[in-house]
Amino acid sequence: SLTISATPGGVASATLVGNGKKASALTVDPEDKTFGTVPVGEASAASSFTVTNTGAATSGPLAIAFAGADAAEFAFTSGATCVSGATVLESGASCLINVRFVPTAAGAKTAVLSISATPGDSTTAALSGTGSVVASTLAIAPASVTFPSLPVGSLSKTRLFIVANTG
């Protein structure tokens, strides 16, 4: 209730009634993604993450980014419906983020996909993958050649060898 008093004038009161609205509540699915082993310099298949506003209020514009020591090893891909700085989610609405793992060095890599809204909420998804170096295997054909005996200072016939990377 609201009560106002003044001298002179007396007291006036009013009953106040209202319903609070829960702020936006963002969720992401999946909450973690392992991209497996990917050769250095190549890209994994894209994986989609669904961001949903499970709250009662509309979110502010989404801020979407990678964070962590290996954030540069992950990349956004086309086809997403969540656009950082532009997408606003009504209550119950969803959008998609597409991510690839693109290792630049060998070894285990981790990062976090971070989604937040102001006003609103924030959520994250854990990302991981392993960069691998593919060992090259060289082959030469023919495997052996026998040159005939020749006088010193003379040249034999030219022979062709084919070298290929089969790894």
Coordinates of all heavy atoms in Angstrom, one line a residue, residues 59-156:
S59 N 14.9 -10.8 -23.8 CA 16.3 -10.5 -23.5 C 16.7 -9.2 -24.1 O 16.1 -8.7 -25.1 CB 17.2 -11.6 -24.0 OG 17.4 -11.6 -25.4
G60 N 17.9 -8.7 -23.7 CA 18.5 -7.6 -24.5 C 19.3 -8.3 -25.6 O 19.3 -9.5 -25.8
P61 N 20.0 -7.5 -26.4 CA 20.8 -8.0 -27.5 C 21.8 -9.0 -27.0 O 22.5 -8.8 -26.0 CB 21.5 -6.8 -28.1 CG 20.6 -5.6 -27.7 CD 20.1 -6.0 -26.4
L62 N 22.0 -10.1 -27.7 CA 22.9 -11.2 -27.3 C 24.3 -10.7 -27.6 O 24.6 -10.2 -28.7 CB 22.6 -12.5 -28.0 CG 21.3 -13.1 -27.8 CD1 21.2 -14.5 -28.5 CD2 21.0 -13.4 -26.3
A63 N 25.2 -11.0 -26.7 CA 26.7 -10.9 -26.9 C 27.2 -12.3 -27.0 O 27.1 -13.1 -26.0 CB 27.3 -10.1 -25.8
I64 N 27.9 -12.7 -28.1 CA 28.3 -14.1 -28.3 C 29.8 -14.0 -28.6 O 30.2 -13.3 -29.5 CB 27.6 -14.7 -29.5 CG1 26.1 -14.6 -29.3 CG2 28.0 -16.2 -29.7 CD1 25.2 -14.9 -30.5
A65 N 30.6 -14.8 -27.9 CA 32.1 -14.8 -28.1 C 32.7 -16.1 -27.5 O 32.1 -16.8 -26.8 CB 32.7 -13.6 -27.3
F66 N 33.9 -16.3 -28.0 CA 34.7 -17.4 -27.4 C 35.6 -16.8 -26.3 O 36.1 -15.7 -26.5 CB 35.6 -18.0 -28.5 CG 34.8 -18.7 -29.6 CD1 34.8 -18.2 -30.9 CD2 34.0 -19.8 -29.3 CE1 34.1 -18.8 -31.9 CE2 33.3 -20.4 -30.4 CZ 33.3 -19.9 -31.6
A67 N 35.9 -17.6 -25.3 CA 36.8 -17.1 -24.2 C 37.7 -18.2 -23.8 O 37.4 -19.4 -24.1 CB 35.9 -16.6 -23.0
G68 N 38.8 -17.9 -23.2 CA 39.7 -18.9 -22.7 C 41.0 -18.9 -23.5 O 41.1 -18.2 -24.6
A69 N 42.0 -19.6 -23.0 CA 43.3 -19.6 -23.6 C 43.4 -20.1 -25.0 O 44.2 -19.6 -25.8 CB 44.3 -20.5 -22.8
D70 N 42.5 -21.0 -25.4 CA 42.5 -21.5 -26.8 C 41.3 -21.0 -27.6 O 40.9 -21.6 -28.6 CB 42.5 -23.0 -26.8 CG 43.7 -23.6 -26.0 OD1 44.8 -23.1 -26.2 OD2 43.5 -24.5 -25.2
A71 N 40.8 -19.8 -27.3 CA 39.6 -19.3 -28.0 C 39.8 -19.1 -29.5 O 38.9 -19.4 -30.3 CB 39.2 -17.9 -27.4
A72 N 41.0 -18.8 -29.9 CA 41.3 -18.6 -31.3 C 41.3 -19.9 -32.1 O 41.3 -19.9 -33.3 CB 42.7 -18.0 -31.5
E73 N 41.2 -21.1 -31.4 CA 41.2 -22.4 -32.1 C 39.7 -22.7 -32.6 O 39.5 -23.7 -33.2 CB 41.7 -23.5 -31.2 CG 43.1 -23.2 -30.6 CD 44.2 -23.3 -31.6 OE1 44.2 -24.1 -32.5 OE2 45.1 -22.5 -31.5
F74 N 38.8 -21.9 -32.2 CA 37.4 -22.2 -32.6 C 36.8 -21.0 -33.4 O 37.3 -19.9 -33.3 CB 36.5 -22.3 -31.3 CG 37.0 -23.5 -30.5 CD1 38.0 -23.4 -29.5 CD2 36.4 -24.8 -30.6 CE1 38.5 -24.5 -28.8 CE2 36.9 -25.9 -29.9 CZ 37.9 -25.7 -29.0
A75 N 35.9 -21.3 -34.3 CA 35.4 -20.3 -35.2 C 33.9 -20.4 -35.4 O 33.3 -21.5 -35.4 CB 36.1 -20.4 -36.6
F76 N 33.2 -19.3 -35.6 CA 31.8 -19.3 -35.9 C 31.7 -19.6 -37.4 O 32.5 -19.2 -38.2 CB 31.1 -17.9 -35.7 CG 31.2 -17.6 -34.2 CD1 32.0 -16.6 -33.7 CD2 30.4 -18.3 -33.3 CE1 32.0 -16.2 -32.3 CE2 30.4 -18.0 -32.0 CZ 31.2 -17.0 -31.5
T77 N 30.6 -20.3 -37.8 CA 30.4 -20.6 -39.2 C 29.0 -20.0 -39.7 O 28.2 -19.6 -38.8 CB 30.4 -22.1 -39.5 OG1 29.3 -22.7 -38.8 CG2 31.7 -22.7 -39.0
S78 N 28.8 -20.0 -41.0 CA 27.6 -19.5 -41.5 C 26.4 -20.3 -41.1 O 26.5 -21.4 -40.7 CB 27.7 -19.4 -43.0 OG 27.9 -20.7 -43.6
G79 N 25.2 -19.7 -41.4 CA 24.0 -20.4 -41.1 C 23.4 -20.2 -39.7 O 22.3 -20.7 -39.4
A80 N 24.1 -19.4 -38.9 CA 23.6 -19.1 -37.6 C 22.4 -18.1 -37.6 O 22.3 -17.3 -38.5 CB 24.7 -18.5 -36.7
T81 N 21.5 -18.3 -36.6 CA 20.4 -17.3 -36.5 C 20.6 -16.4 -35.3 O 19.9 -15.4 -35.2 CB 19.1 -18.1 -36.4 OG1 19.1 -19.0 -35.3 CG2 18.8 -18.8 -37.7
C82 N 21.6 -16.7 -34.5 CA 22.0 -15.8 -33.4 C 23.0 -14.9 -33.9 O 24.1 -15.4 -34.4 CB 22.6 -16.6 -32.2 SG 21.5 -17.7 -31.3
V83 N 22.8 -13.6 -33.8 CA 23.8 -12.6 -34.3 C 24.2 -11.7 -33.1 O 23.4 -11.1 -32.5 CB 23.2 -11.8 -35.5 CG1 24.2 -10.7 -35.9 CG2 22.8 -12.6 -36.6
S84 N 25.5 -11.8 -32.8 CA 26.0 -11.0 -31.7 C 25.7 -9.5 -31.9 O 26.0 -9.0 -32.9 CB 27.5 -11.2 -31.5 OG 28.0 -10.7 -30.3
G85 N 25.1 -8.9 -30.9 CA 24.8 -7.5 -30.9 C 23.5 -7.2 -31.6 O 23.1 -6.0 -31.5
A86 N 22.8 -8.1 -32.2 CA 21.6 -7.9 -32.9 C 20.4 -8.7 -32.4 O 19.3 -8.2 -32.4 CB 21.8 -8.0 -34.4
T87 N 20.7 -10.0 -32.1 CA 19.5 -10.9 -31.8 C 19.0 -10.6 -30.4 O 19.8 -10.5 -29.4 CB 20.0 -12.4 -31.9 OG1 20.4 -12.6 -33.2 CG2 18.9 -13.3 -31.5
V88 N 17.7 -10.5 -30.3 CA 17.0 -10.3 -29.1 C 16.0 -11.5 -29.0 O 15.3 -11.7 -30.0 CB 16.2 -8.9 -29.1 CG1 15.3 -8.9 -27.9 CG2 17.2 -7.8 -29.1
L89 N 15.9 -12.2 -27.9 CA 15.0 -13.3 -27.8 C 13.8 -13.0 -26.9 O 14.0 -12.7 -25.7 CB 15.8 -14.5 -27.2 CG 16.9 -15.1 -28.1 CD1 17.6 -16.3 -27.3 CD2 16.3 -15.6 -29.4
E90 N 12.7 -13.2 -27.5 CA 11.4 -13.1 -26.7 C 11.4 -14.3 -25.8 O 12.1 -15.3 -26.0 CB 10.2 -13.2 -27.7 CG 10.1 -12.1 -28.7 CD 9.8 -10.7 -28.1 OE1 9.1 -10.7 -27.0 OE2 10.2 -9.7 -28.6
S91 N 10.5 -14.3 -24.8 CA 10.3 -15.4 -23.9 C 10.0 -16.7 -24.7 O 9.1 -16.6 -25.5 CB 9.2 -15.1 -22.9 OG 9.0 -16.2 -22.1
G92 N 10.7 -17.7 -24.5 CA 10.5 -19.0 -25.1 C 11.1 -19.1 -26.5 O 11.1 -20.2 -27.1
A93 N 11.7 -18.1 -27.0 CA 12.3 -18.1 -28.4 C 13.7 -18.7 -28.3 O 14.4 -18.7 -27.3 CB 12.3 -16.7 -29.0
S94 N 14.2 -19.2 -29.5 CA 15.5 -19.8 -29.6 C 16.2 -19.3 -30.8 O 15.5 -18.8 -31.8 CB 15.4 -21.3 -29.7 OG 14.9 -21.9 -28.5
C95 N 17.5 -19.4 -30.9 CA 18.3 -19.2 -32.1 C 19.5 -20.1 -32.1 O 19.8 -20.8 -31.1 CB 18.7 -17.7 -32.2 SG 19.8 -17.2 -30.8
L96 N 20.2 -20.2 -33.2 CA 21.3 -21.2 -33.4 C 22.6 -20.5 -33.6 O 22.7 -19.4 -34.2 CB 21.1 -22.0 -34.6 CG 19.9 -23.0 -34.6 CD1 19.8 -23.8 -35.9 CD2 20.1 -24.0 -33.5
I97 N 23.7 -21.1 -33.0 CA 25.1 -20.7 -33.2 C 25.8 -21.9 -33.8 O 25.7 -23.0 -33.3 CB 25.7 -20.3 -31.9 CG1 25.0 -19.1 -31.2 CG2 27.2 -19.9 -32.1 CD1 25.4 -18.8 -29.8
N98 N 26.5 -21.7 -34.9 CA 27.3 -22.8 -35.5 C 28.8 -22.6 -35.2 O 29.3 -21.5 -35.4 CB 27.0 -22.8 -37.0 CG 25.6 -23.2 -37.3 OD1 25.0 -24.0 -36.6 ND2 25.0 -22.6 -38.3
V99 N 29.5 -23.6 -34.7 CA 30.9 -23.5 -34.3 C 31.7 -24.6 -35.0 O 31.2 -25.7 -35.1 CB 31.0 -23.6 -32.8 CG1 32.4 -23.6 -32.3 CG2 30.2 -22.5 -32.1
R100 N 32.9 -24.3 -35.3 CA 33.9 -25.3 -35.8 C 35.2 -25.2 -35.0 O 35.5 -24.2 -34.5 CB 34.3 -25.0 -37.3 CG 33.3 -25.4 -38.3 CD 33.8 -25.2 -39.7 NE 32.7 -25.5 -40.6 CZ 32.8 -26.0 -41.8 NH1 34.0 -26.3 -42.2 NH2 31.8 -26.2 -42.5
F101 N 35.9 -26.3 -35.0 CA 37.2 -26.4 -34.3 C 38.2 -26.3 -35.4 O 38.2 -27.2 -36.4 CB 37.3 -27.7 -33.5 CG 38.7 -27.9 -32.9 CD1 39.3 -27.0 -32.2 CD2 39.3 -29.2 -33.1 CE1 40.6 -27.2 -31.6 CE2 40.5 -29.4 -32.5 CZ 41.2 -28.4 -31.8
V102 N 39.1 -25.4 -35.4 CA 40.1 -25.2 -36.4 C 41.5 -25.0 -35.7 O 42.0 -23.9 -35.5 CB 39.8 -23.9 -37.3 CG1 40.8 -23.8 -38.5 CG2 38.4 -23.9 -37.7
P103 N 42.1 -26.1 -35.4 CA 43.4 -26.1 -34.6 C 44.5 -25.5 -35.4 O 44.7 -25.8 -36.6 CB 43.7 -27.5 -34.2 CG 43.0 -28.3 -35.3 CD 41.8 -27.5 -35.7
T104 N 45.3 -24.6 -34.8 CA 46.5 -24.1 -35.4 C 47.8 -24.7 -34.9 O 48.9 -24.4 -35.4 CB 46.6 -22.6 -35.2 OG1 46.6 -22.3 -33.8 CG2 45.4 -21.8 -35.8
A105 N 47.7 -25.6 -33.9 CA 48.8 -26.3 -33.3 C 48.3 -27.6 -32.7 O 47.1 -27.7 -32.4 CB 49.5 -25.4 -32.2
A106 N 49.3 -28.5 -32.6 CA 48.9 -29.8 -32.1 C 48.6 -29.8 -30.6 O 49.2 -28.9 -29.9 CB 50.0 -30.8 -32.3
G107 N 47.8 -30.7 -30.1 CA 47.6 -30.8 -28.7 C 46.1 -30.5 -28.3 O 45.3 -30.2 -29.2
A108 N 45.8 -30.8 -27.0 CA 44.4 -30.6 -26.5 C 44.1 -29.1 -26.4 O 45.0 -28.3 -26.0 CB 44.3 -31.2 -25.2
K109 N 43.0 -28.7 -26.8 CA 42.5 -27.3 -26.8 C 41.2 -27.2 -26.2 O 40.3 -28.0 -26.4 CB 42.4 -26.7 -28.3 CG 43.6 -27.0 -29.1 CD 44.8 -26.2 -28.6 CE 46.1 -26.5 -29.5 NZ 47.3 -26.0 -29.0
T110 N 41.0 -26.1 -25.4 CA 39.7 -25.9 -24.7 C 39.4 -24.4 -24.8 O 40.3 -23.5 -24.8 CB 39.7 -26.3 -23.2 OG1 40.7 -25.6 -22.5 CG2 40.0 -27.8 -23.1
A111 N 38.1 -24.1 -24.8 CA 37.6 -22.7 -24.8 C 36.2 -22.8 -24.3 O 35.6 -23.9 -24.0 CB 37.7 -22.1 -26.2
V112 N 35.6 -21.6 -24.2 CA 34.2 -21.5 -23.7 C 33.4 -20.6 -24.7 O 33.9 -19.6 -25.2 CB 34.2 -20.8 -22.3 CG1 32.7 -20.5 -21.9 CG2 34.8 -21.7 -21.3
L113 N 32.2 -21.1 -25.1 CA 31.3 -20.3 -25.9 C 30.5 -19.5 -24.9 O 29.8 -20.1 -24.1 CB 30.5 -21.2 -26.8 CG 29.3 -20.5 -27.5 CD1 29.8 -19.5 -28.5 CD2 28.5 -21.6 -28.2
S114 N 30.6 -18.2 -24.9 CA 29.9 -17.4 -23.9 C 28.8 -16.6 -24.6 O 29.0 -16.0 -25.6 CB 30.9 -16.4 -23.3 OG 30.3 -15.5 -22.5
I115 N 27.6 -16.7 -24.0 CA 26.4 -16.0 -24.5 C 25.8 -15.2 -23.4 O 25.5 -15.7 -22.3 CB 25.3 -16.9 -25.1 CG1 25.9 -17.9 -26.1 CG2 24.2 -16.2 -25.7 CD1 26.1 -19.3 -25.7
S116 N 25.6 -13.9 -23.6 CA 25.0 -13.0 -22.5 C 24.1 -12.0 -23.2 O 24.2 -11.7 -24.4 CB 26.1 -12.4 -21.7 OG 26.9 -11.5 -22.5
A117 N 23.2 -11.4 -22.3 CA 22.3 -10.4 -22.8 C 22.2 -9.3 -21.7 O 22.2 -9.7 -20.5 CB 20.9 -11.0 -23.1
T118 N 22.1 -8.1 -22.1 CA 21.9 -7.0 -21.2 C 20.8 -6.1 -21.7 O 20.9 -5.5 -22.7 CB 23.2 -6.1 -21.0 OG1 24.2 -7.0 -20.6 CG2 23.0 -5.1 -20.0
P119 N 19.6 -6.1 -21.0 CA 19.3 -6.8 -19.8 C 19.1 -8.3 -20.1 O 18.8 -8.7 -21.2 CB 18.0 -6.2 -19.3 CG 17.4 -5.7 -20.5 CD 18.5 -5.3 -21.4
G120 N 19.4 -9.1 -19.0 CA 19.2 -10.5 -19.2 C 20.1 -11.4 -18.4 O 20.5 -11.0 -17.3
D121 N 20.5 -12.4 -19.0 CA 21.2 -13.5 -18.3 C 22.5 -13.9 -19.1 O 22.7 -13.3 -20.1 CB 20.3 -14.7 -18.2 CG 20.7 -15.8 -17.3 OD1 21.6 -15.5 -16.4 OD2 20.1 -16.9 -17.4
S122 N 23.2 -14.8 -18.6 CA 24.3 -15.3 -19.4 C 24.4 -16.9 -19.2 O 23.9 -17.4 -18.3 CB 25.6 -14.7 -18.9 OG 25.9 -15.1 -17.6
T123 N 25.0 -17.5 -20.2 CA 25.2 -18.9 -20.2 C 26.5 -19.3 -20.9 O 27.0 -18.4 -21.7 CB 24.0 -19.7 -20.7 OG1 24.1 -21.1 -20.5 CG2 23.8 -19.4 -22.2
T124 N 27.0 -20.5 -20.7 CA 28.2 -20.9 -21.4 C 28.2 -22.3 -21.9 O 27.4 -23.1 -21.3 CB 29.5 -20.7 -20.5 OG1 29.4 -21.5 -19.4 CG2 29.7 -19.3 -20.1
A125 N 29.0 -22.7 -22.8 CA 29.1 -24.1 -23.3 C 30.6 -24.3 -23.3 O 31.4 -23.5 -23.9 CB 28.5 -24.3 -24.6
A126 N 31.1 -25.4 -22.8 CA 32.5 -25.8 -22.8 C 32.8 -26.5 -24.2 O 32.1 -27.3 -24.7 CB 32.8 -26.8 -21.7
L127 N 33.9 -26.0 -24.8 CA 34.4 -26.6 -26.1 C 35.7 -27.2 -25.9 O 36.6 -26.7 -25.1 CB 34.5 -25.4 -27.1 CG 33.3 -24.5 -27.2 CD1 33.7 -23.3 -28.2 CD2 32.1 -25.2 -27.8
S128 N 36.0 -28.3 -26.6 CA 37.3 -29.0 -26.6 C 37.5 -29.7 -27.9 O 36.6 -30.1 -28.6 CB 37.4 -30.0 -25.4 OG 36.4 -31.0 -25.5
G129 N 38.8 -29.9 -28.1 CA 39.2 -30.7 -29.3 C 40.7 -30.9 -29.2 O 41.4 -30.3 -28.4
T130 N 41.2 -31.7 -30.1 CA 42.6 -32.0 -30.1 C 43.2 -31.8 -31.5 O 42.6 -32.4 -32.5 CB 42.9 -33.5 -29.7 OG1 42.4 -33.7 -28.4 CG2 44.4 -33.8 -29.7
G131 N 44.2 -31.0 -31.6 CA 44.8 -30.8 -32.9 C 45.9 -31.8 -33.1 O 46.6 -32.2 -32.2
S132 N 46.0 -32.4 -34.3 CA 47.0 -33.4 -34.6 C 47.8 -33.1 -35.8 O 47.3 -32.4 -36.7 CB 46.3 -34.8 -34.8 OG 45.6 -34.8 -36.0
V133 N 49.0 -33.6 -35.8 CA 49.9 -33.4 -36.9 C 49.9 -34.7 -37.6 O 50.2 -35.7 -37.1 CB 51.3 -33.0 -36.5 CG1 52.3 -32.9 -37.6 CG2 51.3 -31.7 -35.7
V134 N 49.6 -34.6 -38.9 CA 49.6 -35.9 -39.7 C 51.0 -36.1 -40.2 O 51.6 -35.2 -40.9 CB 48.6 -35.7 -40.9 CG1 48.7 -36.9 -41.8 CG2 47.2 -35.4 -40.4
A135 N 51.6 -37.2 -39.9 CA 52.9 -37.6 -40.3 C 52.9 -37.9 -41.8 O 52.0 -38.6 -42.3 CB 53.4 -38.8 -39.5
S136 N 53.9 -37.3 -42.5 CA 53.9 -37.6 -43.9 C 54.8 -38.9 -44.2 O 55.7 -39.2 -43.4 CB 54.5 -36.4 -44.7 OG 55.8 -36.2 -44.2
T137 N 54.4 -39.6 -45.2 CA 55.2 -40.8 -45.6 C 55.6 -40.6 -47.0 O 54.7 -40.4 -47.9 CB 54.3 -42.0 -45.4 OG1 53.8 -42.1 -44.1 CG2 55.0 -43.3 -45.8
L138 N 56.8 -40.7 -47.3 CA 57.3 -40.5 -48.7 C 57.5 -41.9 -49.3 O 58.0 -42.8 -48.6 CB 58.6 -39.7 -48.7 CG 58.5 -38.3 -48.2 CD1 59.9 -37.6 -48.3 CD2 57.5 -37.5 -49.0
A139 N 57.2 -42.0 -50.5 CA 57.4 -43.2 -51.3 C 58.2 -42.8 -52.6 O 58.0 -41.7 -53.1 CB 56.1 -43.8 -51.7
I140 N 59.1 -43.7 -53.0 CA 59.9 -43.4 -54.2 C 59.7 -44.6 -55.1 O 59.7 -45.8 -54.7 CB 61.3 -43.1 -53.9 CG1 62.1 -42.6 -55.2 CG2 62.0 -44.3 -53.2 CD1 63.4 -42.0 -54.9
A141 N 59.6 -44.4 -56.4 CA 59.5 -45.5 -57.4 C 60.3 -45.1 -58.6 O 60.3 -44.0 -59.0 CB 58.0 -45.7 -57.8
P142 N 61.1 -46.0 -59.1 CA 61.2 -47.4 -58.6 C 62.0 -47.4 -57.3 O 62.7 -46.5 -57.0 CB 62.0 -48.1 -59.8 CG 62.7 -47.0 -60.5 CD 61.9 -45.8 -60.3
A143 N 61.9 -48.5 -56.6 CA 62.5 -48.6 -55.3 C 64.0 -48.8 -55.4 O 64.8 -48.5 -54.5 CB 61.9 -49.8 -54.5
S144 N 64.5 -49.4 -56.6 CA 65.9 -49.5 -56.8 C 66.2 -49.5 -58.3 O 65.3 -49.9 -59.1 CB 66.4 -50.8 -56.2 OG 65.9 -51.9 -56.9
V145 N 67.4 -49.0 -58.6 CA 67.8 -49.0 -60.0 C 69.3 -49.4 -60.0 O 70.1 -49.0 -59.2 CB 67.7 -47.6 -60.6 CG1 68.3 -47.5 -62.0 CG2 66.2 -47.2 -60.7
T146 N 69.7 -50.3 -61.0 CA 71.1 -50.7 -61.1 C 71.6 -50.0 -62.3 O 71.1 -50.1 -63.4 CB 71.2 -52.2 -61.3 OG1 70.6 -52.8 -60.1 CG2 72.6 -52.6 -61.4
F147 N 72.7 -49.2 -62.1 CA 73.3 -48.5 -63.2 C 74.4 -49.4 -63.8 O 75.1 -50.1 -63.0 CB 73.9 -47.2 -62.8 CG 72.8 -46.1 -62.5 CD1 72.3 -46.0 -61.2 CD2 72.4 -45.3 -63.5 CE1 71.4 -45.0 -60.9 CE2 71.4 -44.3 -63.2 CZ 70.9 -44.2 -62.0
P148 N 74.6 -49.4 -65.1 CA 75.7 -50.3 -65.7 C 77.0 -49.7 -65.4 O 77.2 -48.5 -65.1 CB 75.3 -50.3 -67.2 CG 74.6 -49.0 -67.4 CD 73.8 -48.7 -66.1
S149 N 78.1 -50.5 -65.5 CA 79.4 -50.0 -65.4 C 79.8 -49.2 -66.5 O 79.5 -49.5 -67.7 CB 80.4 -51.2 -65.3 OG 80.1 -52.0 -64.2
L150 N 80.4 -48.0 -66.2 CA 80.8 -47.1 -67.3 C 82.2 -46.6 -67.1 O 82.6 -46.5 -65.9 CB 79.8 -45.8 -67.3 CG 78.3 -46.1 -67.5 CD1 77.5 -44.8 -67.3 CD2 78.1 -46.5 -69.0
P151 N 82.8 -46.1 -68.1 CA 84.2 -45.5 -67.9 C 84.0 -44.2 -67.1 O 83.0 -43.5 -67.1 CB 84.6 -45.2 -69.3 CG 83.7 -46.0 -70.3 CD 82.5 -46.2 -69.5
V152 N 85.1 -43.9 -66.3 CA 85.1 -42.7 -65.5 C 84.9 -41.5 -66.4 O 85.5 -41.4 -67.4 CB 86.4 -42.7 -64.7 CG1 86.5 -41.3 -63.9 CG2 86.6 -43.8 -63.8
G153 N 84.0 -40.6 -65.9 CA 83.8 -39.3 -66.6 C 82.7 -39.4 -67.6 O 82.3 -38.4 -68.2
S154 N 82.1 -40.6 -67.9 CA 81.0 -40.7 -68.9 C 79.7 -40.7 -68.1 O 79.6 -40.9 -66.9 CB 81.1 -42.0 -69.7 OG 81.1 -43.1 -68.8
L155 N 78.6 -40.4 -68.8 CA 77.3 -40.3 -68.2 C 76.4 -41.5 -68.6 O 76.5 -42.0 -69.7 CB 76.6 -39.0 -68.8 CG 77.3 -37.7 -68.4 CD1 76.6 -36.5 -69.1 CD2 77.4 -37.5 -66.9
S156 N 75.6 -41.9 -67.7 CA 74.7 -43.0 -67.9 C 73.4 -42.4 -68.5 O 73.2 -41.1 -68.6 CB 74.3 -43.7 -66.7 OG 73.6 -42.9 -65.8

